[in-house]
Amino acid sequence: MKLAMIGLGRMGGNMAHRLVQQGFEVVAYDRDPAAVAEAVTKGATGASDLAVIPDMLPSPAIYWLMLPAGEITEKVMREVGGLAREGDIIVDGGNSFWKHDLERSKWLKERGLTFIDVGVSGGVWGLERGYCMMIGGDDAAVKHIDPILRALAPGPGTIPRTHRPKTQGEWQAEMGYVHCGPAGAGHFVKMVHNGIEYGMMQAYAEGFDILKQRAKQDLPEEMRFELNLSDISEVWRRGSVISSWLLDLIAIALAGDQSLSKFSGKVADSGEGRWTIDAAIEEAVPVDVLAAALFARFRSRVEFSFADQLLSAMRFGFGGHVEVPQ
C-alpha cells in the first residue's frame, strides 16, 4: 500500500518511518528539504513539490497531512484538495479544531474527495510504541486505510484485556485505534483526550510542588522534610494507583535534574484545552478541574512555580513541546 505523508515534523517524520519499517511505500513531503532528505535515508521516496505527488500515487490516492493546527493546515488542505483526483482520500492527522473538519469535509466532498480526521496521541515515542488514534470519517474510506491505521497503532501489547462478555474476536479499540463516527468525531474525541491530559498533568504538578515545598525554611524545623523527588516518582511508578505514562515521564525528568533547571515554567497550551472548555460550555457540562488546569497555564506566564516547571518537563517529555518564548 502506498500513501503520501505531508509534514515531516516530530510526529510526521516518525510516522513515515514506522510505515516504511512495516512495508508501506511512503512518498514524503515537507517544505523543509532537509526533512525530506532524512525521510529518504529511512526508506521513503522524496517529493520536491506537492504538485508532483498525484502522479506518484495509485488510485485512490491517500494523502496524510501531519501539520500544526491552523492556517498552515488550511492552506495545504486547499492545495492538496486542488491537486487530488476524484475518489482520493485526504487524512488530517494533526490537532485540528473539529468544527473545521465539518467545513473541510463538505468542501472536499463537493470535489469528489473523501476526508478523514485522525486524532493522534503518542508524541515523539510513537515510532517505537505506536500511536493511539481516534478516527472520524466515512465508513468505507476508513476501512480502506485500515492497514495504515493498524500499522501505526500500538497493538494490544501487554495490557490485560478488558472483560467484555459479549465480545468475540478482535476488538479494534484493543489494537489502539477506533473509528469514533463521521467527519469531526475523531478530532472531537482527541480534543477531550487532551483536555483530560491538562487536568492529569496539573494534578501531578501540584502534588510534586507540595512535596518540594516541604523543605522551605520558613516552616518549623521538625516539620521540614528534604524529600527525594526522583525516588518518590520512581516508587509511585511501581504498583501505585496513580502510575501512568505521565508519571514515567516525570521520573525521567527528575532523575536527570530534581530542580528541573532547564525549564522556566512558562507553560504553553496548544489549543485543545481551550476547545474542550468551549465544548463543555456548549453542552452545559461542569468541568472544574479541566478549566482550572487551563487557567493555571495562563497564570504560569505571569508568575511560575516548580509545578509549572514540571508541567513543561512533561510536555517536553511526551511531545517535544517547547515552552512559551521568554
Side-chain angles (χ1 to χ4, degrees), residues 53-77:
I53 296 178
D55 291 333
M56 301 174 72
L57 296 174
S59 181
I62 302 167
Y63 301 84
W64 189 302
L65 277 60
M66 283 304 295
L67 300 165
E71 292 182 5
I72 183 64
T73 294
E74 183 65 25
K75 177 179 181 298
V76 176
M77 183 76 66

Side-chain angles (χ1 to χ4, degrees), residues 3-4 6 62-67 77 80 89-94 108 114-120 135-136 141 145 148-149 187:
L3 73 153
I6 300 171
I62 302 167
Y63 301 84
W64 189 302
L65 277 60
M66 283 304 295
L67 300 165
M77 183 76 66
V80 172
I89 298 169
I90 300 177
V91 180
D92 179 6
L108 291 171
T114 302
F115 174 81
I116 297 175
D117 54 290
V118 181
V120 181
I135 303 138
I145 70 165
I148 296 170
L149 300 170
H187 279 151

